[in-house]
Amino acid sequence: MTQHFYITTPIYYVNDKPHIGHAYTSLACDVMARYKRLQGYEVKFLTGTDEHGQKVEKSAMRKGIEPQAFTDQVSQSFRDLTKAMHFSNDDFIRTTEERHKKGAAALWQRLMGNGHIYLDQYAGWYSVRDEAFFQESELIDGKAPSGAEVEWVEEPSYFFDLSKWQEKLLQYYQDNPDFIAPKSRRNEVISFVEGGLKDLSVSRASFSWGVPVPGDDKHVMYVWLDALTNYLSALGFPEESAEYQQFWPADLHVVGKDILRFHAVYWPAFLMAADLPLPKRIMAHGWWTNEGQKISKSIGNVIDPLDLIEQYGLDQTRFFLMHEVPFGNDGNFSQESMTQTVNSILANNIGNLSQRVLSMIQKNCDGNVPEAAIQEEDLALLDISGLLEEIEHAMQTQAFCHALKRLVAFASDANTYIDHQAPWTLKKTDPARMATVLYTLAEAIRKLAILLQPFMPDAAEKLLDQLAVSAQERDFAALENSLVAGTALPKPEPIFPRVELKEAC
Ligand code: MSP
């Protein structure tokens, strides 16, 4: 029976064009989605844009454009990013689409129908940048904890009875220890909930750019209640279609640490209140800084992923982002570490391995996969059962950098094997053994390339093309296969050029 896997990115605010933070969240999901597909899962990988709310409305006003026209433009730049980064998303949802508005209204009606929403009056602080409500006691020097400005809001509002869900949430966290990751963030969420929950304002009445509250169009739904529903509306909710049944509950919501509370507290409470199953896991990643500084528009140090792709190459960028920091921790981007990673790992280790081996096969074996008489020392390199187990464990816990470090170590083992076996000497002393050594290396590169596909799909594809591996033999089941002696190989091309460190201006 086909197994299903549903993975989502947050949907991105369309107040501004995409930057490295957005690319990072989606990249992690893309790697995970590709990995699961290669394992044989039927995957739904969803991303999209969060287009309602005051923040987007204000950005549109500043540009002097109607919100719908503005969101059409900016949403397109997020779609363009998915193409530029070669993300393999199966769907792209916009909260201004009818299918979404229908889903959001349906969730509201369920909450209302189940008696969890009531009308009252909100008086308190609101941060437009965070799209979040704050109590006086939560403010730090008169600002939101994120540093964003707050404004006083006093208006009629519908409330969700969040305060009633404290015990149920805590029980759920306890019964499902892997529901929130990493551990440190899970603990933060638990102490937040233990501190007590207040009912949550879930509608706004002072502006109109949102999904109208069913039955009271003086109100629009609070943008977070609207936005979170995208994970359901993309499956056709409220209809219980085949897609909905296959993919809900979601296997993994990947989010940044700043929006964990919305996903790990509000979202499960809404779902419980609507009698819907909860997602299986919420993984929060850290934030990137640029050369040690917080990334911000006012400092002017926002990293555009398209610039990185142009300067270093797409797969190099993907590799760096996934390899540089353990997922979950904060990370720092610097030209120096990026250059160092590209040169020492990609060019000198993986690139050099494939270039050396494939050129030797071209020169000494007439460009055909050589005949092999495999010995124990060759099997030591080719037996990857331990490696596979470690990678699987790393991927299950979204330890992407650990999986990559193991793959890089495998490439290093292959390089050590070449130096040790010295096929250039065997050429004169024992050509049959040279053939076996080159075969073993080509096999190691094949396995490495298959396993690198989720992270660097283009480079892995080129490597597999250079080994004449057919399109049907590139999934993880094909790791069991072997190259066939006598297969003609194309002329090898270098895959990872070295890069120069860009001088700071
Ligand atoms: N619209 C909400 C999400 C709604 S999901 C139902 C939102 N959008 S966002 O565009 O502001 O942020 C999206 C993601 O980008 C978040 O996961 C956030 O953590 C991530 N990043 C924004 N800046 C970042 C860095 N500097 N570094 C890493 N990721 C960061 O929040």
Side-chain angles (χ1 to χ4, degrees), residues 176-189:
N176 298 276
D178 296 324
F179 178 56
I180 305 170
K183 280 245 148 29
S184 55
R185 302 257 164 241
R186 173 175 187 266
N187 294 339
E188 282 172 17
V189 170

PDB file of all heavy atoms in Angstrom, residues 176-189:
ATOM      1  N   ASN A 176       2.824  13.024  23.332  1.00  0.00           N
ATOM      2  CA  ASN A 176       3.467  12.997  22.007  1.00  0.00           C
ATOM      3  C   ASN A 176       4.787  13.765  22.067  1.00  0.00           C
ATOM      4  O   ASN A 176       4.882  14.896  21.599  1.00  0.00           O
ATOM      5  CB  ASN A 176       2.543  13.637  20.962  1.00  0.00           C
ATOM      6  CG  ASN A 176       1.239  12.871  20.837  1.00  0.00           C
ATOM      7  OD1 ASN A 176       1.148  11.897  20.122  1.00  0.00           O
ATOM      8  ND2 ASN A 176       0.228  13.323  21.583  1.00  0.00           N
ATOM      9  N   PRO A 177       5.809  13.124  22.639  1.00  0.00           N
ATOM     10  CA  PRO A 177       7.055  13.861  22.900  1.00  0.00           C
ATOM     11  C   PRO A 177       7.748  14.394  21.636  1.00  0.00           C
ATOM     12  O   PRO A 177       8.565  15.302  21.736  1.00  0.00           O
ATOM     13  CB  PRO A 177       7.942  12.833  23.609  1.00  0.00           C
ATOM     14  CG  PRO A 177       7.256  11.519  23.471  1.00  0.00           C
ATOM     15  CD  PRO A 177       5.818  11.757  23.163  1.00  0.00           C
ATOM     16  N   ASP A 178       7.411  13.829  20.461  1.00  0.00           N
ATOM     17  CA  ASP A 178       8.062  14.318  19.235  1.00  0.00           C
ATOM     18  C   ASP A 178       7.209  15.329  18.484  1.00  0.00           C
ATOM     19  O   ASP A 178       7.535  15.714  17.361  1.00  0.00           O
ATOM     20  CB  ASP A 178       8.368  13.146  18.290  1.00  0.00           C
ATOM     21  CG  ASP A 178       9.354  12.195  18.921  1.00  0.00           C
ATOM     22  OD1 ASP A 178      10.247  12.689  19.636  1.00  0.00           O
ATOM     23  OD2 ASP A 178       9.236  10.967  18.709  1.00  0.00           O
ATOM     24  N   PHE A 179       6.116  15.749  19.106  1.00  0.00           N
ATOM     25  CA  PHE A 179       5.195  16.665  18.421  1.00  0.00           C
ATOM     26  C   PHE A 179       5.868  18.005  18.124  1.00  0.00           C
ATOM     27  O   PHE A 179       5.687  18.586  17.060  1.00  0.00           O
ATOM     28  CB  PHE A 179       3.953  16.869  19.301  1.00  0.00           C
ATOM     29  CG  PHE A 179       2.936  17.835  18.750  1.00  0.00           C
ATOM     30  CD1 PHE A 179       2.392  17.642  17.487  1.00  0.00           C
ATOM     31  CD2 PHE A 179       2.520  18.941  19.498  1.00  0.00           C
ATOM     32  CE1 PHE A 179       1.436  18.535  16.977  1.00  0.00           C
ATOM     33  CE2 PHE A 179       1.567  19.832  18.995  1.00  0.00           C
ATOM     34  CZ  PHE A 179       1.039  19.623  17.723  1.00  0.00           C
ATOM     35  N   ILE A 180       6.657  18.498  19.074  1.00  0.00           N
ATOM     36  CA  ILE A 180       7.356  19.776  18.865  1.00  0.00           C
ATOM     37  C   ILE A 180       8.859  19.529  18.943  1.00  0.00           C
ATOM     38  O   ILE A 180       9.338  18.911  19.889  1.00  0.00           O
ATOM     39  CB  ILE A 180       6.991  20.804  19.963  1.00  0.00           C
ATOM     40  CG1 ILE A 180       5.479  20.988  20.028  1.00  0.00           C
ATOM     41  CG2 ILE A 180       7.696  22.134  19.707  1.00  0.00           C
ATOM     42  CD1 ILE A 180       5.029  21.796  21.242  1.00  0.00           C
ATOM     43  N   ALA A 181       9.592  20.006  17.950  1.00  0.00           N
ATOM     44  CA  ALA A 181      11.047  19.847  17.953  1.00  0.00           C
ATOM     45  C   ALA A 181      11.671  21.178  17.534  1.00  0.00           C
ATOM     46  O   ALA A 181      11.026  21.974  16.858  1.00  0.00           O
ATOM     47  CB  ALA A 181      11.444  18.742  16.985  1.00  0.00           C
ATOM     48  N   PRO A 182      12.922  21.474  17.908  1.00  0.00           N
ATOM     49  CA  PRO A 182      13.763  20.672  18.796  1.00  0.00           C
ATOM     50  C   PRO A 182      13.310  20.762  20.264  1.00  0.00           C
ATOM     51  O   PRO A 182      12.457  21.569  20.599  1.00  0.00           O
ATOM     52  CB  PRO A 182      15.154  21.293  18.614  1.00  0.00           C
ATOM     53  CG  PRO A 182      14.919  22.676  18.126  1.00  0.00           C
ATOM     54  CD  PRO A 182      13.614  22.675  17.407  1.00  0.00           C
ATOM     55  N   LYS A 183      13.959  19.928  21.097  1.00  0.00           N
ATOM     56  CA  LYS A 183      13.583  19.799  22.516  1.00  0.00           C
ATOM     57  C   LYS A 183      13.536  21.141  23.240  1.00  0.00           C
ATOM     58  O   LYS A 183      12.612  21.410  24.008  1.00  0.00           O
ATOM     59  CB  LYS A 183      14.605  18.906  23.251  1.00  0.00           C
ATOM     60  CG  LYS A 183      14.395  17.430  23.060  1.00  0.00           C
ATOM     61  CD  LYS A 183      14.020  16.753  24.377  1.00  0.00           C
ATOM     62  CE  LYS A 183      13.105  15.560  24.219  1.00  0.00           C
ATOM     63  NZ  LYS A 183      13.185  14.801  22.973  1.00  0.00           N
ATOM     64  N   SER A 184      14.577  21.971  23.015  1.00  0.00           N
ATOM     65  CA  SER A 184      14.664  23.244  23.736  1.00  0.00           C
ATOM     66  C   SER A 184      13.429  24.101  23.443  1.00  0.00           C
ATOM     67  O   SER A 184      12.865  24.744  24.323  1.00  0.00           O
ATOM     68  CB  SER A 184      15.920  23.998  23.337  1.00  0.00           C
ATOM     69  OG  SER A 184      15.943  24.156  21.934  1.00  0.00           O
ATOM     70  N   ARG A 185      12.997  24.080  22.200  1.00  0.00           N
ATOM     71  CA  ARG A 185      11.821  24.880  21.818  1.00  0.00           C
ATOM     72  C   ARG A 185      10.549  24.255  22.404  1.00  0.00           C
ATOM     73  O   ARG A 185       9.610  24.950  22.773  1.00  0.00           O
ATOM     74  CB  ARG A 185      11.691  24.963  20.312  1.00  0.00           C
ATOM     75  CG  ARG A 185      12.879  25.548  19.646  1.00  0.00           C
ATOM     76  CD  ARG A 185      12.617  26.994  19.229  1.00  0.00           C
ATOM     77  NE  ARG A 185      13.874  27.620  18.946  1.00  0.00           N
ATOM     78  CZ  ARG A 185      14.365  28.674  19.582  1.00  0.00           C
ATOM     79  NH1 ARG A 185      13.693  29.263  20.538  1.00  0.00           N
ATOM     80  NH2 ARG A 185      15.527  29.177  19.258  1.00  0.00           N
ATOM     81  N   ARG A 186      10.531  22.928  22.452  1.00  0.00           N
ATOM     82  CA  ARG A 186       9.380  22.233  23.029  1.00  0.00           C
ATOM     83  C   ARG A 186       9.210  22.681  24.481  1.00  0.00           C
ATOM     84  O   ARG A 186       8.109  22.983  24.927  1.00  0.00           O
ATOM     85  CB  ARG A 186       9.627  20.724  22.944  1.00  0.00           C
ATOM     86  CG  ARG A 186       8.604  19.886  23.645  1.00  0.00           C
ATOM     87  CD  ARG A 186       8.856  18.398  23.423  1.00  0.00           C
ATOM     88  NE  ARG A 186       7.762  17.630  23.980  1.00  0.00           N
ATOM     89  CZ  ARG A 186       7.766  17.120  25.206  1.00  0.00           C
ATOM     90  NH1 ARG A 186       8.830  17.265  25.978  1.00  0.00           N
ATOM     91  NH2 ARG A 186       6.721  16.458  25.644  1.00  0.00           N
ATOM     92  N   ASN A 187      10.344  22.727  25.187  1.00  0.00           N
ATOM     93  CA  ASN A 187      10.277  23.153  26.588  1.00  0.00           C
ATOM     94  C   ASN A 187       9.747  24.580  26.709  1.00  0.00           C
ATOM     95  O   ASN A 187       8.972  24.882  27.614  1.00  0.00           O
ATOM     96  CB  ASN A 187      11.662  23.061  27.239  1.00  0.00           C
ATOM     97  CG  ASN A 187      12.108  21.606  27.321  1.00  0.00           C
ATOM     98  OD1 ASN A 187      11.275  20.696  27.260  1.00  0.00           O
ATOM     99  ND2 ASN A 187      13.409  21.378  27.432  1.00  0.00           N
ATOM    100  N   GLU A 188      10.164  25.451  25.789  1.00  0.00           N
ATOM    101  CA  GLU A 188       9.675  26.842  25.833  1.00  0.00           C
ATOM    102  C   GLU A 188       8.162  26.886  25.655  1.00  0.00           C
ATOM    103  O   GLU A 188       7.465  27.628  26.347  1.00  0.00           O
ATOM    104  CB  GLU A 188      10.311  27.667  24.703  1.00  0.00           C
ATOM    105  CG  GLU A 188      11.733  28.091  24.982  1.00  0.00           C
ATOM    106  CD  GLU A 188      12.386  28.735  23.762  1.00  0.00           C
ATOM    107  OE1 GLU A 188      11.664  29.152  22.814  1.00  0.00           O
ATOM    108  OE2 GLU A 188      13.624  28.791  23.751  1.00  0.00           O
ATOM    109  N   VAL A 189       7.672  26.083  24.713  1.00  0.00           N
ATOM    110  CA  VAL A 189       6.229  26.069  24.460  1.00  0.00           C
ATOM    111  C   VAL A 189       5.501  25.567  25.705  1.00  0.00           C
ATOM    112  O   VAL A 189       4.505  26.152  26.143  1.00  0.00           O
ATOM    113  CB  VAL A 189       5.884  25.189  23.226  1.00  0.00           C
ATOM    114  CG1 VAL A 189       4.389  24.975  23.113  1.00  0.00           C
ATOM    115  CG2 VAL A 189       6.428  25.826  21.956  1.00  0.00           C
TER     116      VAL A 189
END
